[in-house]
Amino acid sequence: MKIAIVGAGATGLTAGYELAKAGHFLTVYEKSSIIGGLASTFQIGGTDIEKYYHHIFTSDSELILLVNELGLSDNLKWYPPSNGIYINNKFYPFTTPFDLLMFDAVPLFQRVRLGLLILKSNKIESWNYLENITAKQWLTDKAGKAVYIKLWGPLLKSKFDVYCEKISAAWLWNKFKLRGSSRNKNGKGELLGYMDKSFGVIYDKLCRLIIDMNGQVLLNTQADEIIPGSDGSVSIRTEKCVESYDCVLFTASPGIFAGLANKHLPVDYKEKLNSIKYMANVCAVLELKESISPYYWITVAENDAPFVLMVEHTNMTGKSRYGCNIVYLSKYADALKPPYISENELIEREFIKYFNKLFPKWDSSGLINVRIFKSRYTQPVVTVGYSKIKPGFETPIRNVYTASMANIYPEDRGQNYSVKLGIEAAGFIDKHSIPVTS
Ligand SMILES: Cc1cc2nc3c(=O)[nH]c(=O)nc-3n(C[C@H](O)[C@H](O)[C@H](O)COP(=O)(O)OP(=O)(O)OC[C@H]3O[C@@H](n4cnc5c(N)ncnc54)[C@H](O)[C@@H]3O)c2cc1C
């Protein structure tokens, strides 16, 4: 078949690779000038690095299998992380169960209850009841009010803003489960994976293989409309032309899809897609002369903080490849409000001001460079009852399919689940579509 994929992120490139392997002719449309989507890269010191912090867990089996299949396993390295939390103007270590026990921002009894809840999360198999209660209610009932108010409330607020009190407990349960499952089986603690020269090496390789198998990846090419033909074929209109395919897989957010196929979708289906909200993300990448903390990952659990997370990437990987220390400051944001709508200069000023509040002894002459990245569609908002609006592969238009981060729930979005989704979507298309164009 002649197949089009919209989006050259992890999902689109994996699906494209699988479909090309199955003998189909692929065209991947990517509106950006580079591949990789949210996992795309830029360079520091001549080495590729993600615009947004990235690591994987030992439980990310689909991605690890793909890395092996692509012959890239030598690039994948595993590191023990060191995590911290900043709360009540203080840094707490937060890597081991012992750290949780010593975390005195929350009363001891509630800390123990939280620890037990996290442990128990690994054993929960049927999560349906969790999807109908909020994360707030689940945490408050199972671990206590202080755990919510002091710890998870500010985190959910900074991740989901106005939606924070509506987030499904199933999402939080999965977060607990994921961190637990990345603990080393020998009891030596958590390990996080990172690819030498970035995860971009995976996407570069997928792209090259698609091209080697007679496919094409069109950069700077935005799909503007998806048009069903009367014979079952599907056309994609871009600024330059209209091209017809046997089928189309759309991998960006459902709201964009609803816009592109607008005239051809029933109203109730469009309403369902448009009801899926996404958070935007604003990320500052700092290049520093000196390391700023002993931690890889610091959760900033303060209501007045302009960023929620500080990730010192080089505390995981070392700095030799980059020639400097690299710190991400990240904030999930409402797309209609600051900081997402703010000018980069203002974002930089506010982030650096708060960074200085966290580290009063830091001398700003140690700041080599700052880059600000923003993306509109970075995290689906998974509110209570999300299963009812979660999209499937099939759409009301024959031979048009969708697979995006919105399909991944109850798992939290991440490259592993994009790879898994891409493989499954490719399998579905291969099985269910038949050639219609000549
Ligand atoms: C701040 C942050 C931190 C993260 N940390 C991690 C992590 O530590 N580990 C991890 O595994 N994952 C992490 N992720 C998630 C990971 O990046 C995503 O799950 C994954 O990259 C999603 O891939 P995707 O292909 O589904 O979507 P996307 O990457 O969003 O790709 C969709 C693509 O479609 C393109 N597109 C959209 N509309 C059109 C159009 N009309 N025409 C043509 N092209 C179009 C976009 O430009 C984009 O390239 C993080 C994400 C963020 C934002």
Side-chain angles (χ1 to χ4, degrees):
M1 288 183 291
K2 191 179 159 201
I3 300 176
I5 293 184
V6 180
T11 308
L13 289 175
T14 307
Y17 167 62
E18 290 294 321
L19 287 163
K21 270 197 310 186
H24 303 294
F25 297 99
L26 263 295
T27 300
V28 183
Y29 289 77
E30 172 52 57
K31 71 173 181 181
S32 164
S33 58
I34 49 172
I35 59 164
L38 294 174
S40 63
T41 58
F42 68 111
Q43 289 203 329
I44 295 183
T47 299
D48 288 345
I49 180 165
E50 293 75 13
K51 295 172 179 171
Y52 305 93
Y53 54 90
H54 274 73
H55 58 245
I56 60 164
F57 300 102
T58 51
S59 52
D60 283 345
S61 43
E62 276 79 6
L63 185 70
I64 296 168
L65 278 174
L66 178 66
V67 165
N68 292 344
E69 178 176 331
L70 297 178
L72 297 171
S73 50
D74 286 350
N75 288 51
L76 180 56
K77 303 279 159 55
W78 295 97
Y79 304 92
S82 68
N83 305 328
I85 289 191
Y86 181 79
I87 188 168
N88 297 341
N89 301 319
K90 198 174 152 188
F91 288 98
Y92 291 84
F94 215 81
T95 310
T96 64
F98 179 74
D99 294 334
L100 174 60
L101 209 62
M102 300 306 287
F103 180 63
D104 63 12
V106 168
L108 178 64
F109 182 55
Q110 299 194 25
R111 272 175 261 160
V112 173
R113 288 176 68 196
L114 176 61
L116 291 174
L117 181 64
I118 294 172
L119 278 179
K120 228 175 89 183
S121 292
N122 268 320
K123 306 233 153 47
I124 297 176
E125 273 169 18
S126 168
W127 52 274
N128 290 359
Y129 76 99
L130 289 173
E131 112 126 350
N132 294 318
I133 54 173
T134 62
K136 178 182 181 182
Q137 192 189 333
W138 188 54
L139 269 177
T140 311
D141 290 353
K142 301 285 178 195
K145 234 180 186 166
V147 166
Y148 183 78
I149 292 171
K150 285 283 178 192
L151 191 57
W152 280 96
L155 293 180
L156 284 162
K157 165 88 181 136
S158 46
K159 185 123 187 172
F160 293 107
D161 203 57
V162 290
Y163 307 105
C164 66
E165 300 211 340
K166 296 184 179 158
I167 297 306
S168 151
W171 178 84
L172 189 61
W173 158 70
N174 236 292
K175 278 259 162 208
F176 288 165
K177 203 165 66 108
L178 196 61
R179 291 315 276 248
S181 59
S182 200
R183 292 202 163 274
N184 185 307
K185 298 264 181 331
N186 303 323
K188 287 191 184 147
E190 191 176 31
L191 288 175
L192 299 181
Y194 187 72
M195 302 287 287
D196 286 347
K197 301 184 194 161
S198 88
F199 288 102
V201 295
I202 302 175
Y203 306 114
D204 284 345
K205 183 102 191 230
L206 288 175
C207 192
R208 252 182 291 133
L209 290 169
I210 290 171
I211 294 165
D212 287 350
M213 291 185 275
N214 299 321
Q216 48 178 348
V217 178
L218 308 174
L219 299 179
N220 299 308
T221 309
Q222 175 168 312
D224 290 329
E225 193 180 359
I226 294 174
I227 311 158
S230 52
D231 58 353
S233 65
V234 187
S235 297
I236 291 191
R237 181 175 63 76
T238 64
E239 203 179 36
K240 290 194 190 121
C241 63
V242 177
E243 188 67 38
S244 186
Y245 297 93
D246 292 308
C247 63
V248 169
L249 172 65
F250 187 86
T251 69
S253 83
I256 302 180
F257 175 69
L260 260 59
N262 184 21
K263 283 186 265 175
H264 316 287
L265 293 172
V267 174
D268 55 344
Y269 182 77
K270 266 189 296 191
E271 276 174 3
K272 200 168 94 166
L273 296 186
N274 284 324
S275 71
I276 299 171
K277 307 287 178 232
Y278 268 65
M279 299 307 293
N281 187 279
V282 175
C283 199
V285 188
L286 317 187
E287 293 169 43
L288 303 177
K289 286 183 189 159
E290 306 290 338
S291 169
I292 193 74
S293 93
Y295 300 112
Y296 164 64
W297 181 280
I298 297 174
T299 301
V300 182
E302 294 284 6
N303 279 323
D304 67 335
F307 50 85
V308 43
L309 200 61
M310 190 188 125
V311 180
E312 190 160 350
H313 174 81
T314 38
N315 279 353
M316 174 170 72
T317 60
K319 62 183 239 185
S320 57
R321 280 184 196 282
Y322 311 103
C324 64
N325 299 277
I326 300 168
V327 172
Y328 293 95
L329 306 176
S330 163
K331 162 86 178 165
Y332 288 92
D334 187 319
L336 299 175
K337 290 198 269 176
Y340 185 72
I341 58 167
S342 304
E343 296 291 331
N344 285 0
E345 291 75 25
L346 180 63
I347 297 170
E348 179 177 329
R349 223 179 310 134
E350 294 197 340
F351 277 30
I352 295 291
K353 193 169 148 203
Y354 199 86
F355 184 71
N356 227 162
K357 186 185 160 193
L358 295 182
F359 304 100
K361 291 189 185 143
W362 178 66
D363 176 358
S364 60
S365 67
L367 179 63
I368 304 165
N369 196 12
V370 182
R371 258 170 280 209
I372 306 290
F373 295 105
K374 291 178 183 176
S375 286
R376 168 63 191 92
Y377 298 96
T378 61
Q379 169 74 53
V381 179
V382 286
T383 45
V384 164
Y386 182 82
S387 294
K388 293 190 194 79
I389 54 169
K390 174 176 145 171
F393 292 142
E394 283 180 293
T395 74
I397 307 177
R398 191 175 144 210
N399 293 330
V400 175
Y401 305 91
T402 66
S404 72
M405 290 184 284
N407 299 49
I408 280 164
Y409 177 88
E411 312 294 347
D412 191 22
R413 62 98 177 90
Q415 297 171 95
N416 182 61
Y417 299 101
S418 298
V419 165
K420 183 168 184 250
L421 191 72
I423 294 170
E424 286 170 1
F428 190 89
I429 290 169
D430 194 40
K431 189 167 165 202
H432 290 90
S433 287
I434 46 162
V436 283
T437 60
S438 51

